[in-house]
């Protein structure tokens, strides 16, 4: 089987799902289920992790899904680290999706503070999955200090623009020894398939599922897109050519009989 | 069920498969089967349609697949019409994929001769599926004279470059009342998914399946890509935005507690 | 000198300018002058060619500019031919920019009617510059019947989207023995430069000049863009690479002295 | 006049030129002259700054050009700072183009070490122009600590691929209060024009000039491309549209007379 392995833990699905912005918990659950995902992220700021009746947490079956808390909303390393510690203190697993986004407008990750927080969290034993710019040098440095994955952005969060950082994602994939999970900006199954065809190990999607009339159906579409891209990557995609090549090579009989 | 209907005949699959260039008949059959396709095209020039033992034809189960002969290799309307008539005389159904490609190098379709041949063949009762440039005016004119579909090219045949005529394909889709099948140039499942997300009714793939170490696996990947794109189109894709929108809206608790 | 030669007539400028949609004749004249253009197109429908005091014609110095009447608004070959004949009867030179656009919405050219009108006009001695889809086979056929140029579209008229038909324009350029003038859709000097870098012989711009607060300044910008692209094409552009190449190769001294 | 102002110093040219990789000093000088540039960068590793007869330095007229030494080859902040100090000790102005590129293959900038070196150099009174990833948050942070510009990369050095980080460069430009100079990857005048049309304040080019049979002519082409883009930006570019807008609006006379 072609499994995704993060920090030694195997997963059959290569599609991670975020839980923000759904118009109802039913929609969120439908998206989670239809996606086939095994990892779902939850913003620590939005949940009451000490309360088992929290409206979001109570809808997530933790036997089925790895609950990956994220530090969304943290503006610097200190805030991110504090959120991560709170989550662990409340009994969460030590897995953390690290997000440090000082700019409230584009919500782009801060490379300096992300690196600093990652250093601290790795030392404290967290399994760190950092959201990051599509920056190959930073990706390498994060790998070197021991993050479990890198999660470069395809495009700014919520834009649905697809992989607008393609050249740099390709270098990150080429150089990485840990899973590369393309995060943010993927707005359609074709975007997810493209990331997988490039050799990404997984993708994370949220807005594209939450912001549609039918989250369950869209989640299933992304599931197929991710599988399509992965399978094509494994089967071996042909290279792009400048010249045509006939699918039906000329045999000449048409000419000869004239 | 969301079926593709061509000339009144319903199909569950929206992926058409070409049979050229496979390195073996086993590979060809594997691709056909794994693709889930219900329509396969065969170049009339390459088969002996009067011979039931023809090496290609004998591998195609016509209970399972609609055999769609194509006029590949025809350089003008006259040659194309002649090939189509031969096929029907030999007992084929009157379905014909019309290809008129005078240039042996890029194999691009001739708009004038394609239109002329389509006029003749429609009058003779053929169900005509014309391969054509991504030309919205020509598409409209072909529809008006009664072709069953239009099949605009995404990129030159065999280039694997994807939808390089996107703006024009979008107009064709917007204006068409007959199925739009994107043909040629699709090199990866993400390309097929993108065509379907744009609202294309189906795609045809050949080189991308024939030109890979594992045609069966690649065909399955394309099948999922097509389904992913169609399902996303039906579920309702979000529009692209310039600005970020947080998946995890700021609630302020992190700020307030400080 | 690197001149553009159309039907034996040399031009120093490779930028053609349209005269539609300007908010004033002053703006139109400023754009014409600052563009450095030597060929300006005028819609026959919009002018009274028998009247020397026509408000547009009286602003165009025909010693300086070749007045190129166009058949804009013609919906079929017959209308286009009629317009062209009217222009010649009124004393215009036999140069005609052929436009046949049946669809009032996208104003895309009709390949069949354009070809038919070109056949007639060439036979009648016109110097025909046809606006056309970015269709390499049609381009070749128009060349074969004797048009003076081909004018493939970069994108639908007035969209400012640039060269959205790049792969096909490249093939047209490669195969043409007559000037290739990219027409329609060019919205910025970078688009014009790109066309010239690809090897186009000239470009035609209108909306991008008319639809700006400062048409004269924009026309000068396009002039420089066209010159930049042409000069780069002649100097020899480097190919795109996948890997970095240091501008400042490592000499090692920094390492060695440590 | 529309001048570029860096650290209070005005420049008429918005094209910076690198001096690496030219096949001869004559070619380098021709490129510098034809570019119209007023700022040229020189790799400190490649010159003997204490020696007025150094083969590169002796070819650069410092009355005409601001000599901008760069720290190319530095793998971390410490090496970069040391190179900068050596330059100043040798009598150079305190302007420094900061480059920290640990990876010898793609030569991509290190965000952490670049930030660290910039902090040190700004404190020591240098005027710092940092080469950096197309990372809006990092750009903002560099601005906050007092760098004179930011120099985000368009694509990896030497690839000639143009602006492959467009969405992020656009955000950097929108948010910056210091000049944004697009550096690396620009392979054609159209790329330079595009950067300027987006609102970049300047561009830096090297490989595209050094790696052509005619560096002087190519430099002039880039000069025009930069001017074209800047002038179009100032004149006000139209927005891209989905629908066509006729340059020659239909007046109806053609219809009415029928």
């Amino acid at each position: 089987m072609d499994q995704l392995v993060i920090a030694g833990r195997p997963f059959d699905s290569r599609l991670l799902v975020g839980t923000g912005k759904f118009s109802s918990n039913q929609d969120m659950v439908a998206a989670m289920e239809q996606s086939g995902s095994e990892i779902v992220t939850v913003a620590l700021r939005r949940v009451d992790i000490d309360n088992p009746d929290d409206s979001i947490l109570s809808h997530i079956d933790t036997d089925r899904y790895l609950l990956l808390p994220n530090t969304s909303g943290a503006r610097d390393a200190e805030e991110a680290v504090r959120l991560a510690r709170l989550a662990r203190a409340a009994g969460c697993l030590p897995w953390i999706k690290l997000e440090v986004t000082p700019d409230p407008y584009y919500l782009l990750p801060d490379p300096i503070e992300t690196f600093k927080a990652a250093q601290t969290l790795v030392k404290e034993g967290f399994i760190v999955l950092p959201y990051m710019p599509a920056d190959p040098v930073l990706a390498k440095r994060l790998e070197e200090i021991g993050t479990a994955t890198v999660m470069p952005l395809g495009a700014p969060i919520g834009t649905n623009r697809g992989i607008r950082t393609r050249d740099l994602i390709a270098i990150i994939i080429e150089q990485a020894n840990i899973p590369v999970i393309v995060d943010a900006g993927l707005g359609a199954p074709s975007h997810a398939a493209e990331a997988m065809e490039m050799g990404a190990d997984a993708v994370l999607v949220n807005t594209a599922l939450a912001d549609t009339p039918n989250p369950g159906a869209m989640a299933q579409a992304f599931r197929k897109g991710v599988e399509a891209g992965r399978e094509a990557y494994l089967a071996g995609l042909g290279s792009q050519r400048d010249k045509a090549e006939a699918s039906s090579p000329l045999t000449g009989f048409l000419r000869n009989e004239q």
Side-chain angles (χ1 to χ4, degrees), chain A:
Chain A
M1 275 298 295
D2 172 47
Q3 288 185 309
L4 167 69
V5 179
I6 302 177
R9 178 165 168 170
F11 301 91
D12 290 323
S13 164
R14 292 172 179 274
L15 173 56
L16 287 69
V17 170
T19 55
K21 294 208 294 183
F22 285 91
S23 49
S24 71
N25 283 330
Q26 287 86 330
D27 274 355
M28 181 186 77
V29 170
M32 286 165 49
E33 286 183 357
Q34 299 292 314
S35 70
S37 184
E38 294 165 303
I39 305 177
V40 298
T41 69
V42 178
L44 287 165
R45 287 175 303 91
R46 295 180 58 233
V47 297
D48 182 352
I49 42 181
D50 294 321
N51 177 4
D53 297 329
D54 174 86
S55 79
I56 291 177
L57 294 184
S58 63
H59 283 84
I60 300 176
D61 174 356
T62 51
D63 288 338
R64 178 167 175 183
Y65 303 107
L66 172 68
L67 185 68
L68 178 64
N70 70 56
T71 65
S72 168
R75 291 169 306 183
D76 57 26
E78 191 188 335
E79 288 185 359
V81 168
R82 185 154 51 89
L83 278 168
R85 288 173 182 158
L86 284 173
R88 188 152 63 171
C92 288
L93 292 175
W95 292 57
I96 191 84
K97 182 176 177 224
L98 175 60
E99 302 186 16
V100 187
T101 58
D103 170 9
Y105 198 53
Y106 289 104
L107 296 166
L108 292 166
D110 183 321
I112 313 285
E113 296 295 310
T114 299
F115 185 72
K116 197 188 299 180
Q119 281 181 308
T120 301
L121 292 171
V122 168
K123 276 185 200 146
E124 296 187 4
F126 282 92
I127 293 168
V128 181
L129 296 83
Y131 174 53
M132 58 171 293
D135 179 332
V137 177
L138 183 61
K140 211 60 201 165
R141 294 194 65 160
L142 287 165
E143 176 183 324
E144 284 163 7
I145 63 169
T147 62
T149 66
V150 285
M151 302 186 72
L153 67 87
I157 280 185
T159 57
N160 286 335
R161 289 172 70 83
I163 306 180
R164 304 287 293 175
T165 54
R166 186 179 167 90
D167 289 19
L168 297 163
I169 298 268
I171 297 173
I172 292 174
I173 291 170
E174 181 188 292
Q175 297 184 332
N177 300 307
I178 51 177
V180 176
I181 304 173
V182 176
D183 184 11
L186 305 183
S190 61
H191 302 159
E194 184 188 356
M196 301 308 293
E197 288 161 5
M198 291 171 65
D201 296 279
V203 300
L204 189 150
V205 178
N206 187 338
T207 300
L209 305 186
D211 188 20
T212 171
N214 195 339
M218 188 62 82
Q220 180 178 280
F222 268 87
R223 175 186 191 155
K224 287 182 180 176
V226 168
E227 291 175 3
R230 181 66 183 178
E231 290 170 15
Y233 172 77
L234 294 175
L237 284 159
S239 56
Q240 296 192 1
R241 300 193 190 87
D242 283 344
K243 304 300 180 194
E245 255 182 65
S247 310
S248 314
L250 301 177
T251 58
F253 99 81
L254 192 68
R255 307 297 174 269
N256 297 340
E257 75 177 355
Q258 293 181 317

